[in-house]
Amino acid sequence: MTDSTASEGCLYVVATPIGNRGDFTPRAAEIMAACDCIAAEEPRKVLRLFTGTLKLSAPVVALHEHNESELAEQLVKRIANGEQIALVAEAGTPLISDPGFRLVRACRQRGLRVTPIPGPCAATTALSAAGLPSDGFLFLGFLPPKSAARRRTFKEYSYFPYTLILYESTHRIEKFLNDLVDILGADRVICVARELTKLHETIHTGPAGAVRERVVAGSTKGEFVVLIAKQDFML
Ligand code: SAM
């Protein structure tokens, strides 16, 4: 069984801002203020979201990659006993390059209610403003940190007929773009979206070689989404 409303308990999968606190939806705030417990990778960041706005009365438990399986068992029991639990990521949508999959799967396996509370996600936020084809896309998250593995991935997906969406950190963005230009060519159309919804938001779309120059000439601090158009796409 994969769906049920038999229990009153529920796991709410709550999206939070990726930078701009104004993107925290009223519904998300309402759920988090009313739930019995909040599971978050970074409890302190969750508490900061509420500073000066709402009072958070529910305890916040730390859920991360290393304790998720164990904690999922405890949370599932609580939901089965009728509790309302909110799952939040450090930023954006839980499970999207963030923990939560094991907990959601455990709830589904037991037929417990899981309700999404939608909101920001860096991947779709970047896609919405990139100017690259949006009729289909593949989200690949973070590529392997080693250059050889990253280059293999670029080769593997070079003929993929839809837009690719990738995440990258400030530490690797330059090497990432160097590998991308080497393997896919300087003319491949890409978009690099940095610090979305924040003060220093910058979005560069164009041929990979030119975009790399613009990114490197600016600040490479912050968080990045890289989108790669299909091979024959021209702006
Ligand atoms: N769960 C998040 C989501 O829904 O997008 C993603 C979490 S993942 C651990 C963090 C990565 O997401 C960053 O390294 C960056 O690649 C991307 N990201 C998050 N916030 C961003 C922002 N404001 N601007 C650009 N990229 C961002």
Side-chain angles (χ1 to χ4, degrees):
M1 192 160 85
T2 57
D3 202 3
S4 162
T5 50
S7 161
E8 287 188 314
C10 182
L11 175 70
Y12 291 99
V13 183
V14 183
T16 55
I18 54 169
N20 189 321
R21 282 174 52 147
D23 295 333
F24 193 33
T25 69
R27 188 172 173 226
E30 204 178 293
I31 294 287
M32 285 175 66
C35 66
D36 298 301
C37 171
I38 295 170
E41 194 179 13
E42 285 277 351
R44 265 179 308 153
K45 294 211 171 164
V46 173
L47 295 169
R48 222 178 293 147
L49 252 184
F50 279 81
T51 310
T53 49
L54 286 168
K55 200 173 169 339
L56 202 61
S57 52
V60 186
V61 297
L63 174 139
H64 40 77
E65 211 188 313
H66 306 294
N67 74 349
E68 188 178 340
S69 298
E70 198 187 320
L71 191 64
E73 285 309 309
Q74 297 169 25
L75 295 178
V76 157
K77 280 188 195 137
R78 292 177 65 167
I79 295 166
N81 285 331
E83 288 195 38
Q84 316 277 317
I85 294 186
L87 168 68
V88 291
E90 186 181 327
T93 302
L95 282 80
I96 307 300
S97 290
D98 265 323
F101 163 67
R102 294 188 194 99
L103 175 58
V104 171
R105 181 177 60 179
C107 288
R108 289 279 166 212
Q109 283 169 339
R110 289 160 181 81
L112 297 169
R113 242 180 94 202
V114 180
T115 297
I117 308 296
C121 170
T124 49
T125 301
L127 182 65
S128 71
L132 268 52
S134 55
D135 52 334
F137 63 88
L138 177 66
F139 173 67
L140 288 173
F142 290 96
L143 290 190
K146 295 246 165 71
S147 179
R150 194 161 52 220
R151 291 165 81 95
R152 265 200 307 279
T153 311
F154 286 140
K155 270 188 200 138
E156 193 182 334
Y157 288 97
S158 62
Y159 297 103
F160 187 72
Y162 297 100
T163 296
L164 298 171
I165 306 182
L166 305 124
Y167 283 167
E168 194 46 278
S169 73
T170 186
H171 313 291
R172 279 193 287 269
I173 188 68
E174 210 172 321
K175 288 179 185 150
F176 178 105
L177 293 174
N178 289 341
D179 285 338
L180 188 159
V181 171
D182 276 356
I183 303 298
L184 301 177
D187 294 332
R188 185 71 168 249
V189 175
I190 67 165
C191 171
V192 176
R194 167 179 168 258
E195 294 288 86
L196 290 162
T197 78
K198 301 184 198 174
L199 186 63
H200 298 292
E201 176 181 279
T202 41
I203 302 176
H204 296 299
T205 294
V211 168
R212 176 182 59 180
E213 296 315 311
R214 276 186 274 159
V215 170
V216 172
S219 170
T220 52
K221 285 207 182 102
E223 303 190 279
F224 292 85
V225 183
V226 181
L227 301 96
I228 305 172
K230 61 184 171 183
Q231 200 192 21
D232 56 358
F233 177 72
M234 286 191 297
L235 268 177

